Amino acid sequence: MVADPENPDTHAALRVKVGNALNGSPELLTEIVDLLRQAGRATASSGDRSVAGTLTGSNVVTGRWVPPAGR
């Protein structure tokens, strides 16, 4: 993965290895599921003017904001 992160064959090989490890160890699968549940939901965003997450009752302004006349 590190040498060629965009190679779909490498992705497939990793999925097979992880799947085999999880199928071969129910304890490992249970531990990973528990860790993921504890971690909760994460949201990430990257790049210019990126926005991620859940907002309620808020305005999100990206870039240069010019207030309307009279404000």
Side-chain angles (χ1 to χ4, degrees), residues 11-36:
H11 292 204
L14 179 61
R15 281 193 302 272
V16 168
K17 287 185 181 276
V18 170
N20 288 341
L22 294 176
N23 287 329
S25 174
E27 297 85 11
L28 177 60
L29 178 59
T30 301
E31 185 176 345
I32 289 174
V33 168
D34 289 342
L35 288 171
L36 292 172

Side-chain angles (χ1 to χ4, degrees), residues 6-67:
E6 301 301 319
N7 185 335
D9 292 335
T10 305
H11 292 204
L14 179 61
R15 281 193 302 272
V16 168
K17 287 185 181 276
V18 170
N20 288 341
L22 294 176
N23 287 329
S25 174
E27 297 85 11
L28 177 60
L29 178 59
T30 301
E31 185 176 345
I32 289 174
V33 168
D34 289 342
L35 288 171
L36 292 172
R37 284 187 180 138
Q38 290 172 20
R41 182 180 295 193
T43 304
S45 179
S46 64
D48 289 346
R49 301 182 189 122
S50 295
V51 177
T54 302
L55 298 173
T56 303
S58 298
N59 294 322
V60 176
V61 178
T62 63
R64 186 167 180 268
W65 181 68
V66 179

